[in-house]
Amino acid sequence: MDTYVHLVPWIIAIPLVGFFVNGLLGLAFRSYRDMKTVSGIIATLAVAVPFLLAVYLFLMMQGDSESASISLFTWIQAGDFTTDIGYRLDQLSLLMTLVVTGVGALIHFYAIGYMAGDESPWKFFAFMNLFIFAMLNLVLADNMLLLFLGWEGVGLCSYLLIGYWYTDMAKSDAAKKAFLYNRVGDFAFLIAMLLIFQTIGSLSFDAILNGTELFTTDQVFIIGLLILIGATGKSAQIPLFVWLPDAMAGPTPVSALIHAATMVTSGVYVISRLSSFVMMSPELMLLIAVIGAFTAFIAATIALTRYDIKAVLAYSTVSQLGFMFLALGSGAYVAAMFHVVTHAFFKACLFLGSGSVIHAMHHVEHKLHEEGKDVHFDPQDMRFMGGLRKYLPSTYMTFLIATIAIAGIPPLAGFFSKDEILVMAFNAGLGEYGAIYFGLWALALITAFMTAFYMFRLTLGTFHGSFRLPEKITEAAGSEKYLHDSPFTMTSVLWVLAALSIVGGFIGIPNFVVATFTGTADVNLLSNWLDRVTMDAELVLSKPVEWMLLFGSVLVALSGIYVAFLLYGENDPETQDNRIAARFGALYQVWNEKYRLDEIYEGFIVHPTVRFSDRVLAVFDIKFIDGFVNFVASVVRFTGSVVRYFQTGVVQTYAVAIVLGVIIVISMLLF
Amino acid sequence: MELLLNIVIYLPLFGVLLLLLVRKDEWVRWSSLLITTATFVLSLPLLLQFDITATGSAQYLTVGEPFLGDWDVKYMVGLDGLSMLLFMLTTFMAPIVVLSSWSSINKHVAGFYSMLLILQTGSLGVFAALDLFMFYVFFELTQIPMFFLIGIWGGKDRIYATVKFFIYTLVGWLLMLVALIYVGYAAGNMVNDGVFTTDWRLLTDHAFQLGLVEQTWLFLAFGFAFCIKVPIFPFHSWLPLAHTEAPTAGSVVLAAIALKMGTYAVLRYLIPLFPNAAIAFAPMFAVLGVIGIIYGALVAMVQKDVKKLVAYSSISHLGFVVLGMFAFNTIGAQGAIIQMVNHGLSTGALFIIVGMLYERRHTRWISDFGGIARKMPVFTVMFMIATLASIGLPGLNGFVGEFLILVGTFNSEVLGSYWYAVIGALGVILAAVYMLWMFQRVMFGPVTNEENNKLTDINAREIGLLIPIMLFIVWIGVRPTDFTKYSEAEVTHLLEDTRTRAATIAQNTADDRLPGWASRLYDVTPQMVSNVKHENQEE
């Protein structure tokens, strides 16, 4: 790939140029700020062109192509530490680049319509381009430090975009929270880099992956653990996931791009990138799997209880990321990356669909205000929705397709990737720590059931039944006439993503399925593609077992959907949820209160630190540290005030003193 | 070039004469800008002609005749890798400082700018001096204008603040003066035929071997002075006060230049002059550095006054510098040097930015602000970049310094423990906490205070003076090697040389009778000596 690697810097530079064009023009010229479509088109092109370049690279590259690197210049150098601004083109980085720029370009295009009503989209688009730039650095970097630049860079863009509507303090709170929780993870990541450098004297991926034998298993565990903590921040896993649901405060295209399709998968990416390193410690693998499975489960339970449609999707994202981590921990890197790709398709589709719904609900509220009615409702709350399928047909159809995909119904995209994860988790159950892996597999199966259930709860609650806004707020009677679907620029993106959600799974059809019928077993395109880069655990299951697992997961998904229809088919979700709450009692309460994790962090870490600093340290600083300085000064002043009485200015006193002094000196000399 | 260096140093001082000639305040401002800009432009050839590979001796060296009677105390200035960047930082910041006080200073304008210019010459002298005695003289030359800058043009408690700042620093430096005289005589006896000398070349001569007991006391005396100047926890209490009371220009010079004199002096004098003591006390200083990082950050977090918050954040950042220097390796020291520059740029920018707000609203309380981003978009961008630089975002300058310091500390043989780096790195989280929290309360949210609705965005002058800083913040972040290359060779040489001399001295005194505490502190046993030798052979 050496001949093509010189295209990589262009792929990265173009979004940066887009950022500067929009940012500087917007800052400098007031008139540019009103040219909303222009700024949107510039930004979209700044992502679409890199996508086309990436497609070209994809066509030129084969599964067995050697990886290639390009180094632009030395970044940081001191003593024997040196790191380049260098990029690495291989199957894994190109796959991520395709997803980031492909899905990214679609979402940029969608945002032109979505942000049309905003007052300063130039800024929005500038930040979006900057995000793509940072994300591409993250996935294409050939060393840990440059990856870290992207890693923190995407965190910054996430901060800027979550808090995009910064005049709302709650939104800027959410932005700050996201940044700080990520920083906790970044701290661990930083220490991991220090340890790696100490051990092998380099931070380049080549050095790490070719020098795995230089690490002891303990070192792998510690370093891997620190990277894992970093990943739990960025990819919203236990214990650092609490920022992601709040991050939904940002504009919906941001949620789709950053908090569903791309940034949050960077933890999965980095662990896949280091697969042969991570594989050295089975305990580390187990830990990753445990975190993944529990995150998947816990987030799913919370998702069951949400009414905010974006919150459901947010928890669903956390849950799906948990599945990816389970895959990583089971040694199934291909499956994890597979799920990254398919999840990018259907979750982006779902988020953008929810954006379309919110857009419509906003419009209703706006129109009611125009009528002079003082009606206020949360346009993201599904209790005020229902029956929208009549009014938003395109949104409904695409949303439904993506829901079926995430629920895991064949042959849609989510089915194949999720099934592969379950198979691989089961497979890991036959290896070391098998019993625990079996438990995780069972937990994941339950989670898969819940996924199908809560996603259909969401779809049914939003699009089926009757439009509940007029029922809940009498003043809003007849408001359904204001409901209409989004413009074509927005729905077209939904359709593209829905199409990808249907066919996306075919890149990773399990070999055994085809092998059963034809005997050839080399159809898994993704697995072949990533073969050189990731080091997967060996699949030891027999074909019948795999078939059983496959049917099992279909059955689980179908039953989840069935139960959802049974409960929410045409009903108001609130009444049904109250029935569930009554049935599950305290357990439901825990889910509904999100396990009180926010309160625990606030109460045990944040508040004590702030109080300690405020009540103890700041006081100590003034009273003790500065007080001691003042004390020394006052001792000097006191001494002076005593001694000065000897300076009477009266000559006689001095004469007496002189005489006394002479007597003392003489007597000392004499005796 | 030797002449040029001297011109650069004294041009500001002679510029004061020009200020005395012109009458109108407006002309005074323009003249100051002209002088400082000319100084900066003239200093550029010094940078461009600098030989980055040379080590061990300064370039553009001017050596005068001894002027203190029989003593070998000479006027001696020159630049080497240790001082080059800080020297340039000083010439670079001066025009910006002049511009930043363009409209905020209307009282005794000529006096104000004269003080700034004298301060400029003093600062350049501090960094260029290669005679310990001259260093001391130049240092005192910076103290006096600073005393007046705070005392005359400062805030409400300016007198208290400036007296405290002045006396506190003076106490430390007088102690150092005593130690300095001792060093001068000792060096004279050992390497200068019995003639008192403070020539840096002789003070770092291998034949100049201070005994371990002497080193301890001298190190502590020098160290005390520098600790106050940096300031290192717990000698910092003058700093928040001086920063809050000083006018914007004073705060900027204090943060960007004056505090660097302390850290620079540590690297230039404290470590090379007393090599064994420096190595023995390195863990203690590293602990103080780490405490400074965490303590400064935590106290910054709960400040209600923006300027105080930035002042405490300085303590945190300088903790990193101290940590890096006492790691005793090239990576850490390089990180420390670039961190000094970075702190000068980003904290300098923050003080300028806070000053812009103060000039408009006459308040520094965080709670008086809120929702300003809407009113001042360009200002917001600048503030954001400075904030992100300060919290060490990769791609901006702050990250480079902090990261190198952490790498250096983590791998430090002298410190011998990775915990310094791990705990120090916690400062990275805390920095984000206090800076972003402050930024949010000042800039975001709705406008709650009617006064803030009247705010206007920064004007062309204000944009113009911030942009150069922003460019360097990004430049250092993206291509730090363009800057670190100036100090790389010299720092490596200095530390190697220091360790070699420490080993020689330890070897020579191993047989001496040391007091119990000293032999414990320096661990002078035959085994240890061979260890040190072994390490040096490896290098």
Side-chain angles (χ1 to χ4, degrees):
Chain A
M1 287 312 291
D2 287 327
T3 27
Y4 301 104
V5 73
H6 64 272
L7 283 175
V8 170
W10 291 103
I11 292 180
I12 292 165
I14 293 169
L16 186 67
V17 172
F19 161 71
F20 277 114
V21 168
N22 265 326
L24 293 179
L25 288 179
L27 268 184
F29 303 107
R30 236 162 245 286
S31 52
Y32 184 76
R33 297 181 193 173
D34 298 326
M35 299 161 73
K36 296 176 181 176
T37 318
V38 176
S39 57
I41 289 171
I42 291 174
T44 308
L45 284 176
V47 186
V49 173
F51 174 67
L52 294 178
L53 290 175
V55 169
Y56 175 72
L57 288 177
F58 176 72
L59 295 175
M60 293 298 127
M61 194 184 224
Q62 265 80 48
D64 56 356
S65 301
E66 289 282 342
S67 75
S69 290
I70 183 169
S71 174
L72 299 186
F73 53 87
T74 304
W75 182 21
I76 296 180
Q77 193 279 324
D80 45 14
F81 180 89
T82 175
T83 317
D84 286 357
I85 300 279
Y87 298 103
R88 178 192 175 99
L89 180 62
D90 64 11
Q91 287 79 1
L92 181 60
S93 62
L94 186 60
L95 178 69
M96 288 300 286
T97 306
L98 284 166
V99 173
V100 170
T101 53
V103 177
L106 286 172
I107 295 173
H108 274 71
F109 184 66
Y110 173 94
I112 299 176
Y114 192 83
M115 298 303 286
D118 191 73
E119 63 176 27
S120 53
W122 62 275
K123 201 163 66 184
F124 174 84
F125 283 114
F127 292 160
M128 289 285 271
N129 275 182
L130 184 65
F131 168 78
I132 298 284
F133 167 73
M135 190 69 204
L136 289 175
N137 269 292
L138 196 163
V139 298
L140 284 160
D142 79 343
N143 62 71
M144 294 281 284
L145 198 63
L146 186 59
L147 183 145
F148 189 67
L149 178 135
W151 186 268
E152 287 246 301
V154 291
L156 166 71
C157 297
S158 162
Y159 167 80
L160 293 170
L161 284 163
I162 295 168
Y164 177 71
W165 288 307
Y166 56 79
T167 46
D168 183 344
M169 211 57 177
K171 289 186 165 56
S172 79
D173 272 336
K176 190 181 65 187
K177 182 176 177 184
F179 195 90
L180 296 182
Y181 274 91
N182 270 297
R183 265 268 155 140
V184 175
D186 296 354
F187 161 75
F189 198 98
L190 193 66
I191 306 294
M193 287 197 290
L194 298 180
L195 273 167
I196 291 173
F197 176 73
Q198 190 182 42
T199 314
I200 61 167
S202 170
L203 289 178
S204 85
F205 287 124
D206 268 338
I208 298 169
L209 297 174
N210 296 332
T212 43
E213 70 282 354
L214 297 171
F215 296 91
T216 65
T217 330
D218 285 347
Q219 279 172 325
V220 170
F221 182 76
I222 301 277
I223 293 170
L225 178 67
L226 290 164
I227 292 176
L228 175 63
I229 295 173
T232 61
K234 195 105 310 183
S235 293
Q237 298 292 293
I238 293 171
L240 295 175
F241 71 84
V242 293
W243 64 269
L244 185 61
D246 288 32
M248 299 302 134
T252 301
V254 173
S255 312
L257 177 61
I258 301 184
H259 304 118
T262 55
M263 181 185 90
V264 288
T265 62
S266 44
V268 182
Y269 164 77
V270 76
I271 294 176
S272 302
R273 169 58 77 201
L274 296 170
S275 56
S276 59
F277 174 81
V278 176
M279 286 289 264
M280 286 172 69
S281 168
E283 290 74 23
L284 177 63
M285 299 287 285
L286 180 67
L287 190 62
I288 297 173
V290 167
I291 285 182
F294 276 91
T295 308
F297 177 74
I298 283 176
T301 58
I302 303 175
L304 295 174
T305 65
R306 300 292 101 188
Y307 289 114
D308 183 325
I309 57 173
K310 277 181 79 178
V312 176
L313 292 176
Y315 282 106
S316 146
T317 303
V318 175
S319 180
Q320 296 302 309
L321 289 164
F323 272 101
M324 297 172 204
F325 273 72
L326 174 62
L328 296 172
S330 309
Y333 301 99
V334 172
M337 292 313 297
F338 188 17
H339 206 52
V340 165
V341 175
T342 59
H343 180 256
F345 297 152
F346 57 69
K347 193 51 73 62
C349 185
L350 288 167
F351 264 115
L352 296 183
S354 79
S356 180
V357 169
I358 295 163
H359 210 64
M361 295 297 284
H362 246 304
H363 185 69
V364 169
E365 195 179 17
H366 186 70
K367 283 286 177 187
L368 287 171
H369 288 178
E370 276 184 1
E371 279 182 23
K373 291 176 179 159
D374 189 29
V375 181
H376 293 279
F377 60 91
D378 182 355
Q380 308 193 5
D381 193 326
M382 74 164 101
R383 282 171 293 193
F384 300 119
M385 298 173 187
L388 295 184
R389 65 176 156 170
K390 271 187 291 196
Y391 312 101
L392 288 74
S394 281
T395 307
Y396 169 66
M397 281 309 295
T398 53
F399 202 90
L400 185 65
I401 291 167
T403 306
I404 298 172
I406 190 177
I409 301 296
L412 276 67
F415 163 74
F416 289 109
S417 53
K418 194 183 288 180
D419 180 61
E420 198 175 333
I421 292 173
L422 289 168
V423 167
M424 293 303 283
F426 189 86
N427 184 47
L430 303 175
E432 210 173 343
Y433 302 112
I436 304 176
Y437 276 106
F438 271 128
L440 297 179
W441 169 78
L443 194 62
L445 208 59
I446 298 170
T447 312
F449 168 82
M450 290 197 297
T451 309
F453 174 75
Y454 71 70
M455 282 310 299
F456 268 88
R457 168 181 176 268
L458 172 67
T459 309
L460 296 171
T462 309
F463 293 99
H464 285 235
S466 56
F467 189 48
R468 285 181 294 272
L469 181 65
E471 301 163 19
K472 302 256 173 180
I473 302 172
T474 44
E475 270 195 297
S479 58
E480 60 268 19
K481 64 174 175 287
Y482 297 127
L483 282 170
H484 60 75
D485 213 345
S486 295
F488 178 69
T489 53
M490 287 161 74
T491 50
S492 61
V493 172
L494 295 177
W495 279 111
V496 173
L497 287 168
L500 287 169
S501 306
I502 295 173
V503 301
F506 292 111
I507 60 168
I509 296 177
N511 283 332
F512 75 90
V513 173
V514 181
T516 311
F517 301 111
T518 63
T520 45
D522 202 25
V523 290
N524 191 329
L525 300 172
L526 191 70
S527 170
N528 293 340
W529 178 254
L530 291 176
D531 190 40
R532 291 182 62 91
V533 195
T534 57
M535 200 174 102
D536 271 51
E538 201 184 339
L539 186 64
V540 292
L541 299 176
S542 63
K543 271 182 214 161
V545 178
E546 290 200 59
W547 274 109
M548 269 170 60
L549 289 170
L550 188 145
F551 280 117
S553 69
V554 176
L555 205 62
V556 161
L558 283 175
S559 48
I561 297 171
Y562 175 72
V563 178
F565 263 99
L566 217 54
L567 278 170
Y568 299 104
E570 298 289 321
N571 303 316
D572 183 348
E574 200 169 8
T575 47
Q576 299 300 322
D577 284 337
N578 290 341
R579 284 173 56 195
I580 298 175
R583 175 83 57 87
F584 284 86
L587 199 57
Y588 189 86
Q589 200 62 25
V590 172
W591 298 344
N592 197 24
E593 289 174 2
K594 307 182 253 182
Y595 296 78
R596 293 190 156 256
L597 273 177
D598 277 314
E599 288 80 359
I600 290 169
Y601 292 146
E602 283 277 313
F604 286 94
I605 299 169
V606 180
H607 278 296
T609 314
V610 174
R611 280 170 76 99
F612 173 73
S613 307
D614 194 33
R615 305 272 167 84
V616 181
L617 282 186
V619 175
F620 170 82
D621 196 62
I622 292 166
K623 298 281 179 206
F624 189 79
I625 295 207
D626 199 35
F628 181 74
V629 177
N630 289 342
F631 169 74
V632 172
S634 64
V635 166
V636 174
R637 202 177 300 137
F638 173 76
T639 316
S641 72
V642 172
V643 177
R644 74 171 181 188
Y645 288 110
F646 297 103
Q647 304 284 330
T648 55
V650 181
V651 182
Q652 288 89 332
T653 323
Y654 294 159
V656 173
I658 290 169
V659 172
L660 282 176
V662 170
I663 291 170
I664 291 171
V665 170
I666 289 174
S667 50
M668 275 169 71
L669 289 174
L670 287 176
F671 303 106
Chain B
M1 292 304 271
E2 291 76 22
L3 180 65
L4 184 65
L5 174 63
N6 283 296
I7 292 175
V8 169
I9 295 175
Y10 295 106
L11 186 63
L13 189 66
F14 285 102
V16 173
L17 297 176
L18 180 64
L19 296 197
L20 298 179
L21 290 176
V22 299
R23 287 290 163 97
K24 279 195 183 153
D25 287 352
E26 203 56 28
W27 294 0
V28 170
R29 294 191 180 105
W30 281 105
S31 323
S32 315
L33 184 63
L34 181 75
I35 294 158
T36 48
T37 311
T39 313
F40 174 61
V41 172
L42 287 173
S43 68
L44 286 174
L46 297 174
L47 184 77
L48 299 175
Q49 295 287 311
F50 190 78
D51 176 8
I52 58 170
T53 55
T55 57
S57 73
Q59 301 172 39
Y60 322 127
L61 194 63
T62 308
V63 184
E65 290 299 312
F67 61 84
L68 266 186
D70 299 337
W71 287 6
D72 178 26
V73 172
K74 313 180 280 284
Y75 174 74
M76 188 168 155
V77 290
L79 292 173
D80 65 7
L82 296 184
S83 49
M84 191 70 231
L85 288 174
L86 292 170
F87 190 85
M88 291 308 297
L89 177 70
T90 310
T91 60
F92 169 75
M93 287 303 284
I96 293 171
V97 170
V98 169
L99 274 173
S100 75
S101 24
W102 205 262
S103 58
S104 58
I105 299 296
N106 294 305
K107 182 172 87 170
H108 312 309
V109 179
F112 180 83
Y113 284 105
S114 305
M115 289 303 150
L116 277 185
L117 291 177
I118 297 171
L119 186 52
Q120 162 94 336
T121 290
S123 309
L124 293 174
V126 165
F127 293 128
L130 283 165
D131 183 289
L132 184 52
F133 201 90
M134 285 310 296
F135 167 78
Y136 192 89
V137 171
F138 277 120
F139 176 80
E140 291 298 340
L141 186 61
T142 64
Q143 289 297 90
I144 297 158
M146 189 54 93
F147 175 77
F148 288 119
L149 279 176
I150 301 175
I152 298 177
W153 293 274
K156 212 165 67 229
D157 289 330
R158 57 182 182 271
I159 304 292
Y160 175 66
T162 199
V163 169
K164 183 169 220 156
F165 149 76
F166 191 82
I167 297 195
Y168 203 162
T169 319
L170 191 69
V171 167
W173 284 67
L174 284 177
L175 190 62
M176 181 190 130
L177 184 61
V178 178
L180 185 156
I181 292 168
Y182 186 97
V183 169
Y185 277 117
N189 286 333
M190 283 184 227
V191 288
N192 203 28
D193 305 325
V195 180
F196 179 100
T197 184
T198 45
D199 186 328
W200 197 71
R201 294 170 298 187
L202 295 171
L203 295 181
T204 52
D205 195 291
H206 282 241
F208 177 47
Q209 298 181 352
L210 284 167
L212 296 182
V213 178
E214 290 167 289
Q215 274 195 38
T216 311
W217 296 115
L218 294 170
F219 177 86
L220 289 177
F222 273 70
F224 180 61
F226 299 155
C227 276
I228 293 172
K229 185 64 197 174
V230 172
I232 296 174
F233 174 91
F235 303 102
H236 62 266
S237 67
W238 62 269
L239 181 78
L241 196 66
H243 262 317
T244 19
E245 294 306 321
T248 300
S251 296
V252 177
V253 176
L254 198 57
I257 317 293
L259 300 188
K260 305 297 139 28
M261 295 174 191
T263 44
Y264 167 76
V266 170
L267 201 54
R268 163 73 72 195
Y269 298 108
L270 190 63
I271 290 176
L273 254 51
F274 318 110
N276 302 75
I279 290 171
F281 282 100
M284 194 191 88
F285 271 81
V287 166
L288 290 181
V290 170
I291 293 178
I293 293 171
I294 304 295
Y295 180 88
L298 287 176
V299 179
M301 187 168 70
V302 295
Q303 294 306 312
K304 296 174 179 66
D305 176 327
V306 194
K307 231 175 162 184
K308 258 202 174 122
L309 187 147
V310 180
Y312 277 105
S313 84
S314 278
I315 296 170
S316 189
H317 286 149
L318 291 164
F320 271 109
V321 177
V322 173
L323 188 59
M325 289 189 302
F326 282 96
F328 267 92
N329 53 34
T330 307
I331 305 178
Q334 279 286 72
I337 290 180
I338 200 73
Q339 172 83 347
M340 288 187 220
V341 177
N342 292 338
H343 174 260
L345 293 170
S346 52
T347 308
L350 283 173
F351 275 120
I352 292 173
I353 282 162
V354 174
M356 288 171 177
L357 278 183
Y358 183 78
E359 203 181 326
R360 285 168 171 71
R361 290 276 287 101
H362 296 285
T363 175
R364 296 187 307 258
W365 295 101
I366 294 173
S367 55
D368 284 341
F369 300 111
I372 289 172
R374 256 188 117 70
K375 298 282 152 199
M376 308 172 71
V378 181
F379 175 80
T380 308
V381 174
M382 304 284 180
F383 196 0
M384 185 51 112
I385 296 174
T387 301
L388 294 173
S390 177
I391 65 180
L393 190 85
L396 300 180
N397 62 350
F399 175 72
V400 179
E402 285 173 15
F403 183 73
L404 284 178
I405 289 168
L406 291 175
V407 175
T409 313
F410 200 84
N411 294 297
S412 166
E413 292 165 36
V414 169
L415 296 180
S417 163
Y418 50 79
W419 283 109
Y420 299 100
V422 173
I423 300 173
L426 279 176
V428 172
I429 302 178
L430 293 173
V433 175
Y434 65 78
M435 286 308 288
L436 289 184
W437 193 25
M438 179 271 282
F439 194 85
Q440 180 195 26
R441 284 177 294 167
V442 172
M443 305 306 289
F444 295 154
V447 177
T448 44
N449 190 330
E450 248 326 288
E451 284 291 305
N452 292 329
N453 269 324
K454 298 177 198 153
L455 283 171
T456 50
D457 207 349
I458 49 178
N459 58 32
R461 170 183 60 85
E462 291 169 314
I463 296 173
L465 74 94
L466 281 173
I467 278 183
I469 302 187
M470 299 301 150
L471 287 179
F472 275 95
I473 283 177
V474 176
W475 188 355
I476 299 179
V478 177
R479 289 193 59 112
T481 45
D482 290 349
F483 301 85
T484 51
K485 67 179 181 190
Y486 287 100
S487 46
E488 177 85 15
E490 181 64 36
V491 159
T492 310
H493 167 78
L494 181 89
L495 291 175
E496 252 172 44
D497 197 53
T498 304
R499 295 180 78 172
T500 316
R501 283 190 297 125
T504 328
I505 295 173
Q507 205 169 15
N508 292 350
T509 46
D511 305 322
D512 283 0
R513 285 200 178 153
L514 286 172
W517 61 265
S519 52
R520 272 195 301 280
L521 179 63
Y522 294 97
D523 201 13
V524 188
T525 59
Q527 197 194 348
M528 173 65 194
V529 173
S530 66
N531 269 346
V532 174
K533 259 172 73 184
H534 183 63
E535 274 170 22
N536 282 314
Q537 277 160 4
E538 274 182 356
E539 285 168 13

